[in-house]
Amino acid sequence: MAEVKINVDDCIGCGICVKKSPEGYEINDEMKAVVKNPNAPGIKEGADDCPTNAIEVIGDVAPAPAAAPAPTAAPSTKPGLAEYKGVMVFAEQRGGELVKVVIELLGRGRGLADELGVPLSATLMGQGVEGLAPQLIAAGADTVYIIQDPRLEKYNTSCYANAMIKLINSIKPEIVLYGATHIGRDLAPRIAKRLGTGLTADCTELTIEEGTNMLLQTRPAFGGNIMATIMCPDHRPQMSTVRPGIMKAIQPDASKQGEIVNFDAGLTDADVMTRIIEIIKERKQVANLEDAKVIVSGGRGVGGTDGFKTIQALADVLNAEIGGSRVAVEKGWISKDHQVGQTGKSVRPQLYIACGISGSIQHRAGMQNSDFIIAINKDPTAQIFTVADLGIVGDLFEIIPVLIEEFKAADFGQ
Amino acid sequence: MDIIVCVKQVPDTTDVKIDPKTGTLIREGVPSIVNPDDKHAIEEALRLKEKFGGKVTVLSMGPPQAGDALREASAMGADDMVLLCDRAFAGADTWATSHTLGEAAKKIGYDLIICGREAIDGDTAQIGPQMAEHLELPQITYVRKVESADGGKIVCERALEDGYERVEANLPALLTVISDVNKPRYPSVRGIVEAYQEKEITTWTAADINADSACIGLDGSPTSVKKSFAPEPKGEGEILEGSTSEVCKQLVTKLMDKNVVR
């Protein structure tokens, strides 16, 4: 006799347990899993496969039904899937220039392709963009597919999607990667939908599963509070959008040989669903703290309103927003809307620079999920150093002016 | 102009805490809210309705309690509420969800569909584009401003990383909006009374929208979650040593090497 417990708080109602053991589990009206029969076949497998480990099985259990499919069958055993071979990268360009993430995708794509023993291709779309192909080959591509058409000169969803779908159906790659840019995240979902395949958004890690050769796609969810690994077992291609700045590019190799293939997508005016009237470039608008990429924060060590001018100078050179600790706000050195912490704002910028902040629990609660943290503080025992990736012990008024010059010299963040 | 707004009820992720012992999410006591981007979608729909007439229908897929999100939207001024609620919808990824919402949208009828860019629990931003594909509609995503919507056409500003573009599409169309697009209104007292005491939520099951069971829920989902886990705790940080000029140089070099700011 088995006893099965389900932690309702952890259940996300995904239904995987029901699939493993239709007689053992069901989803109730609250979209939570409940136990129908703890002694049903497959009850243990349902618990084992629960992605949030919400199910606990105690005692002896019935074995899985004999007919149950293997949890992860090799793709080659499924008809059709084996036809899909190779890794493809969508080589996004804007105004005739490759977007940086493309080179990163080729770097990671190269690794995946080598592990699978398959070729890596890049797909370049636009008008008069063939000159970019050598860069893609140097960055790792074996083949560059070029689709040129006046309708592809500026990005528009339907033409790009239609062209890409034709190419994918013709080449049949097993993996297609897109940058998680405003264009990649507009385009890829549309392609996935029409191809009837899966798409995992904003991935930060891509690996190949041993044995099955399937793509394991890992991404943050719940505002970065949890990570999830997603698979696309029965459909091809396996597609991901990938967060810019995460994957490592390989050293460009100008001597690398590659093939350039022109592909005719046969677009007509009927493929055009939206028209770009104009594209306007602008310097990043002043954003609020929650959306800021970089935040420079000051605390007790800043000493006063004048001290915040130093913080402002550093923020200016980094195109950053300014934050403050509770002390700085309570003393009136900076206004309340800049306060970071449990009683202020929770932020997670790409870079957080804490200057003269001791790092009380309440401050750390509001900023410790930042991607990268720098702490500058006189006191080497300050709590802020426990969450910092890099720390400098010293007087912020001495350090920041030097730092500003270094950032300027390196053209950082421009 | 008849507008459908897709709304999701989500846990307030800014309120989510991690159990320090197990490293798992503590969901207990986390309030459910209307997904923030969706509030901007509702607001934009109400403004268009005020200009052009028609009605605004808010649509959600979820358990019965997701009706609270619809009532909140209705209190802001939405006319009708439709909840897609069926065990058969459970376990849906974005493919299956967009199929389900798309089939419901066909049944409701529309000139325009507005979604929030993304939900704060899943952060995929895929439902809008995939619904547009399902319905074969033009899409404009990352909308930061609706310029005009008359003469059977809509013109929007679509945000890009380094600026924006002005895009035109024929109606019917689908938009996904970002928070820059407007400031959502507060519900009026009359709106609250109507939404919570007078109006009824229309609830549809899979059968009501004639959904093909192979295209919804777990069966209609090409992707599956293999596992979920707490992000790795931060490794030990590094304290830079040396003269002021040396540590500043090191720091900038390390930031560049690690590609910290993108």
Side-chain angles (χ1 to χ4, degrees):
Chain A
M1 286 295 283
E3 189 192 345
V4 182
K5 285 184 194 163
I6 297 181
N7 183 344
V8 181
D9 284 337
D10 285 342
C11 175
I12 53 174
C14 71
I16 287 173
C17 55
V18 183
K19 209 168 193 185
K20 289 286 166 190
S21 179
E23 290 163 39
Y25 300 98
E26 65 181 340
I27 298 289
N28 69 8
D29 289 334
E30 308 293 308
M31 296 285 175
K32 297 286 185 183
V34 289
V35 180
K36 219 158 58 168
N37 172 7
N39 297 306
I43 201 96
K44 176 84 167 56
E45 285 72 15
D48 288 347
D49 279 7
C50 173
T52 60
N53 296 322
I55 310 175
E56 190 186 358
V57 178
I58 302 153
D60 294 335
V61 293
T72 46
S76 57
T77 63
K78 290 187 179 136
L81 295 193
E83 282 178 44
Y84 287 81
K85 277 259 177 296
V87 179
M88 182 181 277
V89 165
F90 168 63
E92 179 184 338
Q93 57 86 18
R94 296 188 193 183
E97 275 183 48
L98 290 173
V99 177
K100 197 173 160 220
V101 68
V102 172
I103 304 299
E104 299 164 7
L105 293 177
L106 286 169
R108 187 67 199 111
R110 186 71 261 167
L112 297 173
D114 289 347
E115 202 169 325
L116 291 166
V118 298
L120 172 67
S121 63
T123 302
L124 190 56
M125 287 191 237
Q127 175 74 342
V129 291
E130 62 277 358
L132 298 173
Q135 276 185 61
L136 297 169
I137 292 169
D142 299 308
T143 308
V144 177
Y145 296 102
I146 303 184
I147 310 177
Q148 306 219 60
D149 190 295
R151 297 171 195 87
L152 298 173
E153 187 179 358
K154 289 175 190 149
Y155 172 75
N156 85 82
T157 315
S158 53
C159 290
Y160 270 63
N162 293 354
M164 195 72 186
I165 285 165
K166 268 199 188 126
L167 182 71
I168 289 172
N169 282 333
S170 159
I171 306 299
K172 295 197 187 319
E174 64 201 282
I175 294 172
V176 184
L177 308 178
Y178 308 79
T181 63
H182 287 205
I183 285 177
R185 296 185 83 175
D186 183 84
L187 174 67
R190 196 118 192 174
I191 294 171
K193 182 72 191 175
R194 201 176 318 159
L195 291 174
T197 194
L199 174 67
T200 306
D202 208 21
C203 296
T204 53
E205 192 185 323
L206 298 171
T207 53
I208 302 292
E209 187 179 55
E210 247 184 76
T212 65
N213 277 353
M214 282 197 236
L215 184 64
L216 298 177
Q217 307 160 90
T218 300
R219 66 183 301 268
F222 269 94
N225 288 299
I226 56 170
M227 304 295 289
T229 301
I230 313 283
M231 294 179 79
C232 179
D234 302 326
H235 301 79
R236 291 294 176 274
Q238 307 161 87
M239 306 214 300
S240 326
T241 62
V242 178
R243 184 177 289 194
I246 300 278
M247 301 297 169
K248 219 171 152 44
I250 55 173
Q251 195 65 34
D253 175 6
S255 68
K256 187 175 177 298
Q257 297 294 305
E259 190 187 6
I260 295 175
V261 179
N262 285 296
F263 184 85
D264 180 10
L267 295 177
T268 68
D269 284 343
D271 291 289
V272 183
M273 285 176 113
T274 52
R275 291 161 298 280
I276 307 291
I277 302 167
E278 59 178 330
I279 299 176
I280 297 103
K281 297 242 183 201
E282 59 181 8
R283 200 175 148 78
K284 198 177 145 287
Q285 282 188 318
V286 176
N288 51 15
L289 283 180
E290 287 95 330
D291 294 332
K293 277 190 177 181
V294 182
I295 296 173
V296 182
S297 267
R300 189 187 299 272
V302 175
T305 318
D306 269 358
F308 262 93
K309 287 181 184 155
T310 304
I311 303 295
Q312 179 75 58
L314 179 56
D316 284 347
V317 74
L318 294 171
N319 201 12
E321 292 289 314
I322 291 202
S325 70
R326 189 167 67 188
V327 177
V329 171
E330 280 175 358
K331 291 196 181 281
W333 302 341
I334 190 158
S335 59
K336 169 86 184 158
D337 54 317
H338 290 274
Q339 187 179 329
V340 173
Q342 210 153 32
T343 49
K345 290 174 174 170
S346 278
V347 299
R348 37 174 308 122
Q350 292 174 4
L351 175 61
Y352 188 91
I353 306 182
C355 309
I357 294 177
S358 65
S360 64
I361 289 182
Q362 85 87 24
H363 185 76
R364 295 197 315 262
M367 48 64 79
Q368 63 193 0
N369 288 328
S370 305
D371 292 349
F372 201 90
I373 297 168
I374 293 174
I376 302 171
N377 203 298
K378 269 184 188 168
D379 175 7
T381 65
Q383 284 293 308
I384 194 74
F385 288 118
T386 64
V387 293
D389 296 276
L390 286 178
I392 297 179
V393 179
D395 180 357
L396 68 97
F397 293 107
E398 199 180 299
I399 291 160
I400 289 177
V402 182
L403 204 48
I404 289 173
E405 291 314 311
E406 288 294 337
F407 277 128
K408 276 187 188 160
D411 239 3
F412 187 85
Q414 297 304 306
Chain B
M1 184 180 294
D2 290 342
I3 305 172
I4 296 174
V5 179
C6 296
V7 173
K8 187 177 186 185
Q9 186 181 50
V10 294
D12 188 348
T13 53
T14 56
D15 238 24
V16 170
K17 302 272 185 298
I18 306 283
D19 184 328
K21 278 191 196 130
T22 61
T24 53
L25 281 181
I26 305 170
R27 289 165 204 259
E28 210 182 323
V30 175
S32 288
I33 57 170
V34 176
N35 180 52
D37 280 351
D38 301 352
K39 279 197 166 179
H40 295 277
I42 297 160
E43 175 63 36
E44 203 56 36
L46 295 174
R47 291 183 186 189
L48 288 168
K49 178 193 155 184
E50 281 155 13
K51 221 172 187 173
F52 299 108
K55 72 174 182 179
V56 174
T57 305
V58 281
L59 171 65
S60 189
M61 180 180 104
Q65 62 264 31
D68 293 347
L70 292 175
R71 290 198 194 277
E72 201 176 324
S74 175
M76 284 171 69
D79 300 283
D80 295 341
M81 302 178 270
V82 177
L83 179 64
L84 305 172
C85 188
D86 193 318
R87 292 174 200 192
F89 298 144
D93 72 0
T94 66
W95 200 100
T97 304
S98 59
H99 180 94
T100 309
L101 292 170
E103 288 301 302
K106 281 184 196 168
K107 185 167 171 171
I108 296 165
Y110 55 85
D111 300 300
L112 182 66
I113 299 175
I114 310 181
C115 302
R117 175 194 47 165
E118 68 181 10
I120 56 170
D121 55 350
D123 310 299
T124 73
Q126 289 175 188
I127 293 297
Q130 296 201 316
M131 243 181 118
E133 173 62 29
H134 184 73
L135 298 167
E136 296 179 44
L137 295 176
Q139 73 190 39
I140 308 177
T141 56
Y142 292 88
V143 169
R144 61 173 221 176
K145 185 180 175 186
V146 177
E147 278 185 27
S148 63
D150 42 9
K153 285 189 171 129
I154 189 154
V155 178
C156 300
E157 287 182 13
R158 169 176 138 78
L160 294 170
E161 286 87 345
D162 55 353
Y164 64 96
E165 57 191 14
R166 296 177 58 226
V167 189
E168 181 188 76
N170 290 344
L171 293 175
L174 183 144
L175 312 180
T176 77
V177 298
I178 59 175
S179 59
D180 292 346
V181 75
N182 56 39
K183 191 171 181 299
R185 68 192 66 187
Y186 290 103
S188 66
V189 174
R190 201 178 117 241
I192 293 170
V193 172
E194 281 184 6
Y196 289 87
Q197 293 178 6
E198 293 167 18
K199 284 187 188 167
E200 300 255 340
I201 295 175
T202 305
T203 303
W204 287 342
T205 63
D208 291 323
I209 55 168
N210 290 319
D212 180 345
S213 65
C215 294
I216 60 172
L218 201 60
D219 286 341
S221 300
T223 63
S224 57
V225 182
K226 186 172 168 66
K227 60 170 179 173
S228 67
F229 52 99
E232 276 181 34
K234 270 216 149 98
E236 200 64 355
E238 184 189 352
I239 303 287
L240 299 175
E241 312 260 359
S243 69
T244 299
S245 132
E246 278 163 11
V247 293
C248 289
K249 263 202 174 63
Q250 278 183 53
L251 186 135
V252 174
T253 309
K254 280 177 193 288
L255 287 183
M256 305 279 273
D257 284 353
K258 290 189 195 232
N259 214 353
V260 168
V261 177
R262 302 177 284 275

